[in-house]
Amino acid sequence: MRTGSGAEGALLEVRGLSKHFPVRSGVFSRVTGSVRVVEDVSFSVGRGETFAVVGESGCGKTTAGRTILRLYEPTAGSVVLGGIDLAALRGEELRRARRGMQMVFQNPYGSLNPRMRVGELLAEPLVAHGIAKGAGAAERVADMMGKVGLSADLAGRYPHQFSGGQRQRVAIARALMCSPSLVVADEPVSALDVSIQSQIINLLQDLRAELGLTYVFISHDLNVVRRISDSVGVMYLGHMVERSATGPLFERPLHPYTEALLSAVPSLDPARRKRRIILSGDVPNPASPPPGCVFHPRCPKAMDVCRSVAPAGSEPEPGRFVACHLYQDPPAPVSAPL
Ligand code: SF4
């Protein structure tokens, strides 16, 4: 399991990744500030593993996923996939690298061209990358449809002729047509009925085992994350505040924000039920984040130091990383709770 900074042999290494968007105002649309949507995010994922990124809506997890795939240009930091620094690639080199990394979106209907038949949708990436065409492409399409649990006879249908679950299977098949090593799945089941969610999760797990895929799995659904991931990164206001293997994180969260998030997860097992921690206030505006620890206005354990000093990351237990003054080594100066 790789959750730390020593990422020897990892397929994906993300180091100090930031993405800021300019804020423009006035008649001349001058840049007057920036929204720091992703700030200094680091993690690594081993081959064949699933790293989940969790957090409330607007915490920057989707932007982080898109920046990893260079759908957005990073403001700072590096993304190394299979030993290649993606940030350094341009033109044809970047296009080739894109074959090895794909994204599955939340809304399969929005990500599939409604005017193309499913067979054409699946063959398109093969043709675009010069991998196969004609009969060769048709054969690969039929094979991939089988892998995702769809009959090849359905290749002549349009996306609207499929159910929501089937459409997500088509979207997954399209993402896998060029044999990527990395798939970033952005809330891939949250638009589906609960009964279908389970089938798609099982499919993703089967495909991971069969094809040796590595996933970055973005989700706000902690029950799904617990089931599918090997390790987890928790994001708050663009920062990754805790990173750990999945089991220890769910058993004993360290960061006060992770604790609050997990306390809201319903459980049928009375032994696992936790006292619900209700966070006061709203998530601050990322265009003007609070000074010090960005979580301090809502943190039930905040201290004086948290208002002015941003916590550095520390590793209080092997393989567990947390950005909080409670775990800093040497400890933060003792101060009264706010
Ligand atoms: Fe809470 Fe302070 Fe830790 Fe931030 S640094 S999570 S405010 S205790």
Side-chain angles (χ1 to χ4, degrees), residues 45 146 202 327:
V45 195
N202 287 343
Y327 301 94

Side-chain angles (χ1 to χ4, degrees), residues 255-257 293-296 299-303 306 311 323-326:
H255 195 281
Y257 176 62
C293 172
V294 290
F295 186 53
H296 88 255
C299 179
K301 298 180 179 173
M303 304 169 288
C306 306
C324 172
H325 286 302
L326 294 171

Side-chain angles (χ1 to χ4, degrees), residues 253 255-265 276-279 295 300:
H255 195 281
Y257 176 62
T258 316
E259 226 180 319
L261 264 191
L262 296 189
S263 77
V265 180
R276 177 95 194 254
I277 301 168
I278 311 281
L279 294 176
F295 186 53

